[in-house]
Structures are given as structure tokens and as C-alpha cells.
Amino acid sequence: MKLSKGSVFLRVVVLAVLGSSIALNTILYSRAKRYYIEVNQTRLDPFGLNEYPTNLQQVTKTDRTRIVFFGDSRAASWNPPNISEYEFINRGIGSQTSVQTIQRFAAHVTPLKPNIIIIQVGVNDLKTIALFPDRRDAIVANCKANIRRIVEESKNLGAAAIVTTIYSSDELHLNEQGYAILNQPLSQLLNSMERKKIKN
């Protein structure tokens, strides 16, 4: 039996809709599964203490200036500038809020004995404002207070604290080119700090 052009077109449309529906549901399922895993990981380890070695018995000694990137996923994704005088260590964890990061500072940062700590955190706090608009002022105030605590903890270690802007690109993250651009002023700042240290 020969199908009419209209019937063929209708079948093609139905198959296309079914294919799109399957693809969309696959994506949604994948995201839901990832979110479910993240939620339960947070329940088991709310501060992410198991993400990195803690309470290091012996920190490798180095003559280079040790710099730690500390904070959320934007810190975790930060590829440092290629400067031989510095040793870069990353202690960022995705999806964390400022209160989570401050709770793991002693475990993940203190044992490293850093000279400089680059702090990139806060956007996940601010994301919750859309869910709890009536708590906006409290969320912002708590975020600022937690960042100040991280800065104070850094100073207590004798480390310089660099607090970066809560920037956004593709909603939350910079791409590789973005980090490369960000590393330019960072390199200039580090060189400036090094010159001041030499003068003193």
C-alpha cells in the first residue's frame, strides 16, 4: 500500500517528536540523577572534608611562594598562571556556599601553610536568593561575614588574602579563555606583592 505524502510527513513529524522527547528526557534524567547524587553526597559529607587530604603529617617544603585557590567551583576550575616562582595548590569544591568553605578551612588550607590564599566564593549563597527572596538581606549579610572570617583565618596563618569578585560568565563559570584573561591582572598583582616583599 502506497502512503500519501501527507502520511509520510506525519510519520516523520511523529518520529522527530518522539526522538526529541527521548533525548530531552535522557538529559533531564541525567541531570536529576547528578543532582540526587550531589544531594546525598552532601548529606554524607556536608563540608566536603573528604575531597582533599586533611591534617597532613608533613607538608612538602618549598622555596617557592605557596598559593592556595580556595572556594567553590570557580576556584576549583581555575588554571593558575604559569609562573615558576610560585607553587599553586587548588582547594576549590563545586557547589559550595561560603559557610561550607569556612567550615573546612582548618582541614584543607591550614596544613598547607600557604603564603597567599586566593578566595573565590559567594555565588552559591547568592543563588539561593531566588528561592528565598524574603531572606535576601540575611543571605547577603551572612555571605559577607563568612568571607570576612575566611580572610581573618588567612591572616591568622600569616598569609595574604586575595578576595576575587563574584563574577559571572555563562551564568556562573569562566571558560579557559576567561581564566587566561583573569590570570593577567593576577600575575601583575603577585609580581607587585613580590616586589614589596623584597623592598621590606
Side-chain angles (χ1 to χ4, degrees), residues 48-78:
L49 295 178
N50 294 323
E51 290 290 322
Y52 296 105
T54 58
N55 300 321
L56 301 178
Q57 296 297 319
Q58 184 176 3
V59 178
T60 304
K61 293 183 179 180
T62 178
D63 294 329
R64 296 185 294 170
T65 299
R66 177 170 288 162
I67 300 176
V68 172
F69 289 99
F70 184 63
D72 51 34
S73 60
R74 291 152 315 130
S77 301
W78 198 325

Side-chain angles (χ1 to χ4, degrees), residues 123-142:
V123 72
N124 292 312
D125 298 67
L126 302 185
K127 282 169 59 180
T128 64
I129 292 175
L131 299 173
F132 310 105
D134 56 320
R135 297 169 58 183
R136 180 187 185 281
D137 292 343
I139 290 170
V140 172
N142 288 334

